[in-house]
Amino acid sequence: MTNFFTHKFRKKSPIEIVGIIIFGAIAITGLAILFGFVIMWLWNWLMPEIFGLTTLTYWQAVGVFILLKIFLGGCGSGSGKKSSKDSNDACKKDSKTDFSKWKYYDKFWKEEGDEYYKQYIERQSNQVEEDTSKPESE
C-alpha cells in the first residue's frame, strides 16, 4: 500500500496533500449527512403510509443506516468463513490494486517503454490500413 501512496503523491506538494485530505474529510462528512437525510426522507415518506410506523428524526435515520451496515456486512470483510477468505486471497494475488510491481514501472518505461509503444502504434496503424484497404464483400 505504501507504493500506491508514493506513486499517487509523488509530484504533489505538502499543501496539495493537506488539501486532498481536508477535501476527503469534508466529502465523507457530507456523504454521511446526505445518507442520513435520504434515509430519513424515504422512511418518513413510505413507512408511515405503508406500515403505519412513526416518522424518524435525523439521528434515528443515521442509527438505522449504521444498523443496516452492521447487519448486512458493509463494515468490513464480511463473515469469517474460510472459503471467503481463500477467495479474497486468490483475488488479491492477481488484483489490479497490487502495487508491489509499481517500483519497476518507471525503470521499464525508461529502458523499454518507448520502443514498445512505437511498435504498438505501428501495429495499430497497419491494422487500420488493412481494414480500410479490404473491399466490402456483401
Side-chain angles (χ1 to χ4, degrees):
M1 194 61 153
T2 58
N3 289 336
F4 173 74
F5 289 116
T6 56
H7 174 72
K8 286 294 183 184
F9 295 120
R10 183 180 301 158
K11 295 180 182 176
K12 303 239 186 258
S13 71
I15 294 173
E16 288 176 312
I17 294 171
V18 169
I20 290 169
I21 292 171
I22 290 172
F23 176 76
I26 291 170
I28 289 171
T29 304
L31 285 174
I33 291 170
L34 179 68
F35 282 137
F37 277 112
V38 167
I39 291 171
M40 182 182 75
W41 176 72
L42 285 172
W43 181 284
N44 291 340
W45 177 47
L46 294 172
M47 294 302 186
E49 299 240 350
I50 296 172
F51 300 109
L53 299 173
T54 60
T55 59
L56 292 181
T57 65
Y58 171 77
W59 291 110
Q60 289 172 329
V62 171
V64 168
F65 176 70
I66 292 170
L67 281 174
L68 285 173
K69 293 294 281 181
I70 292 170
F71 289 148
L72 299 177
C75 292
S77 62
S79 64
K81 296 177 184 176
K82 186 174 180 174
S83 62
S84 67
K85 286 184 181 177
D86 292 338
S87 66
N88 283 341
D89 290 340
C91 290
K92 288 179 184 176
K93 288 179 185 174
D94 295 329
S95 176
K96 292 181 180 179
T97 58
D98 178 20
F99 294 101
S100 64
K101 299 172 190 162
W102 278 82
K103 60 184 173 185
Y104 304 112
Y105 181 80
D106 291 330
K107 185 178 177 184
F108 169 79
W109 277 107
K110 286 177 186 173
E111 294 176 2
E112 301 175 10
D114 290 333
E115 185 60 36
Y116 282 121
Y117 180 71
K118 289 174 187 173
Q119 291 173 5
Y120 174 77
I121 294 297
E122 187 177 320
R123 283 194 314 266
Q124 292 299 316
S125 62
N126 289 341
Q127 184 179 7
V128 169
E129 289 173 6
E130 289 174 4
D131 291 342
T132 57
S133 65
K134 291 181 183 177
E136 292 183 25
S137 58
E138 287 188 38

